[in-house]
Amino acid sequence: MRVLAIACAALLAMPAWAEGEQAGDFDYYVLSLSWAPGWCATEGAGRDAAQCDPANDAHFVLHGLWPQYESGWPSYCRTTARNPSRAQTAAMEDIMGSDGAAWYQWKKHGRCAGLSATDYFAQARAAYESVTVPWVFQQLTKDVRLPAKVVEEAFLEANPNLRPDMVTVTCDQGRIDEVRICLNKDLTPRACGTDVTRDCRMTDALMERVR
């Protein structure tokens, strides 16, 4: 019984992500940038995804702009805002890789921002454009293995307004997966919550070349 009581107390202490929260109720944004060559190698090429076409030279693409609590995050929020049109989601393909990605991000995260679809996508684009992707990653001509910390340091050098506690790098399947940057609602950088700052500690994470 004592073990059960401890387990229940631990579960109650964990942040709850129930889904369906009220739109506009959040503390800050997480800007998530996905390393397209890695995703293409594991999934995208098999789906014949547009961003995996070598002609697109995709590097870090916009995964999403996610409303976040200081601990946890809302999703699939209740909102009176109209869903985006196909033209609106298609207009995000240049930085998100596909209109399908844009639609999914609106459905799961965008509704939680308390904005119209037009304003949310404009906010997401502005956030993406506020970050400089290090030149070396835009022009990566061969596969490399490197410490994930090197990726973070490159972003800090290219963006002097960022501090280490504002940026985190994630890995998946032995690869560099995403760079996540925490932003205030006005898109100025801020420190990430403790549940976001979980850096990948790999010393030999794979980064596939830009196709």
Side-chain angles (χ1 to χ4, degrees):
M1 290 294 292
R2 178 178 172 76
V3 173
L4 179 60
I6 293 173
C8 289
L11 287 171
L12 289 173
M14 294 175 67
W17 304 299
E19 299 185 352
E21 295 88 349
Q22 181 62 44
D25 179 20
F26 67 100
D27 297 313
Y28 69 101
Y29 286 117
V30 171
L31 173 67
S32 179
L33 307 178
S34 176
W35 182 243
W39 181 79
C40 289
T42 57
E43 296 182 48
R47 299 181 187 180
D48 198 27
Q51 69 176 279
C52 302
D53 185 333
N56 290 330
D57 291 331
H59 44 84
F60 277 103
V61 299
L62 175 64
H63 183 175
L65 183 66
W66 305 335
Q68 188 87 10
Y69 298 134
E70 294 297 342
S71 179
W73 58 87
S75 60
Y76 301 102
C77 294
R78 304 187 306 275
T79 179
T80 58
R82 296 179 61 181
N83 288 326
S85 66
R86 287 189 176 182
Q88 286 176 301
T89 56
M92 296 299 290
E93 287 185 13
D94 63 321
I95 59 173
M96 297 190 76
S98 74
D99 58 346
W103 164 249
Y104 179 78
Q105 288 300 310
W106 162 259
K107 182 173 64 172
K108 184 174 182 180
H109 300 288
R111 290 172 175 169
C112 298
L115 303 171
S116 68
T118 298
D119 289 344
Y120 171 71
F121 286 134
Q123 187 88 323
R125 184 176 291 277
Y128 178 78
E129 293 177 348
S130 74
V131 174
T132 299
V133 175
W135 182 252
V136 65
F137 299 139
Q138 297 184 44
Q139 299 293 319
L140 196 62
T141 58
K142 63 179 181 179
D143 297 354
V144 297
R145 290 189 178 274
L146 74 177
K149 189 70 175 176
V150 169
V151 178
E152 179 179 315
E153 290 171 350
F155 269 83
L156 293 174
E157 183 176 347
N159 299 272
N161 59 331
L162 297 179
R163 301 192 313 264
D165 62 351
M166 300 172 173
V167 182
T168 189
V169 178
T170 69
C171 298
D172 185 48
Q173 301 180 55
R175 294 173 162 86
I176 296 296
D177 185 34
E178 295 187 346
V179 172
R180 296 175 180 174
I181 299 170
C182 297
L183 304 171
N184 291 304
K185 292 183 179 181
D186 65 359
L187 303 186
T188 56
R190 56 150 281 168
C192 298
T194 55
D195 59 336
V196 175
T197 54
R198 296 173 181 168
D199 284 330
C200 169
R201 299 187 181 279
M202 288 188 65
T203 58
D204 61 346
L206 174 63
M207 286 191 82
E208 282 91 348
R209 63 182 177 84
V210 174
R211 294 167 177 263

